[in-house]
Amino acid sequence: MPQRILVGVMFCALLPAAFAQARSNAIRVREDVMRAQREKRVDPVYPQAAVKAGIHGLVELQVRISQTGEVQRVELVSGDPVLTPSAIDAVKRWHYKPYLLNSTPIIVYTKVTLNYKLSAEEGVVLDAPVRTTPANQN
């Protein structure tokens, strides 16, 4: 019986440490913070089919950035199917300054939101403003 307790205590003590170590390899960073870290932005091409059809709106992407600042993975969160291929293609070519945690470069997960806007029969793609929620609301 005492051996079971000892094994249980060791398991409970070591398991959280193992998960903490695994999580420290990557962190989630807010979009506005990573926007300031961006060194290279390739502008998405506004698809002519979207311009002709009057399609506009936000495209939200989940992005994984390596320790060296390269975009490793881009996944669609939401957006019009006509706009999303150009957004994904452009963001894959972006580059960021390495994000440092305790002076060590670390992998970052962040969101990228692009705003496809139509004006005078042409389209422009802007970084969407970051929405903030007041502290007393969810």
Side-chain angles (χ1 to χ4, degrees):
M1 183 73 158
Q3 289 175 339
R4 281 190 187 169
I5 294 172
L6 182 58
V7 170
V9 169
M10 288 176 56
F11 183 75
C12 290
L14 296 176
L15 190 62
F19 280 119
Q21 192 174 28
R23 275 187 276 148
S24 68
N25 294 336
I27 61 170
R28 186 169 302 281
V29 179
R30 287 190 348 231
E31 181 175 9
D32 58 330
V33 173
M34 289 311 295
R35 187 177 294 155
Q37 293 284 110
R38 190 172 59 206
E39 294 180 315
K40 177 185 173 190
R41 181 189 195 275
V42 174
D43 291 331
V45 175
Y46 207 118
Q48 282 303 309
V51 172
K52 289 178 183 174
I55 297 171
H56 60 91
L58 298 179
V59 174
E60 291 183 340
L61 306 169
Q62 180 68 37
V63 180
R64 177 186 160 116
I65 302 165
S66 74
Q67 292 102 325
T68 60
E70 276 134 295
V71 174
Q72 292 182 317
R73 186 170 54 224
V74 179
E75 297 174 357
L76 177 64
V77 175
S78 66
D80 190 286
V82 177
L83 302 175
T84 57
S86 75
I88 291 169
D89 192 46
V91 171
K92 283 181 179 178
R93 295 183 283 154
W94 289 8
H95 194 273
Y96 293 81
K97 295 177 203 167
Y99 189 86
L100 304 178
L101 181 65
N102 299 325
S103 302
T104 303
I106 190 164
I107 295 169
V108 169
Y109 289 93
T110 193
K111 183 172 79 168
V112 170
T113 307
L114 296 170
N115 188 4
Y116 284 74
K117 294 180 75 169
L118 287 172
S119 62
E121 294 191 29
E122 71 176 38
V124 63
V125 184
L126 307 168
D127 288 332
V130 176
R131 290 176 235 122
T132 57
T133 305
N136 60 354
Q137 295 181 359
N138 285 343

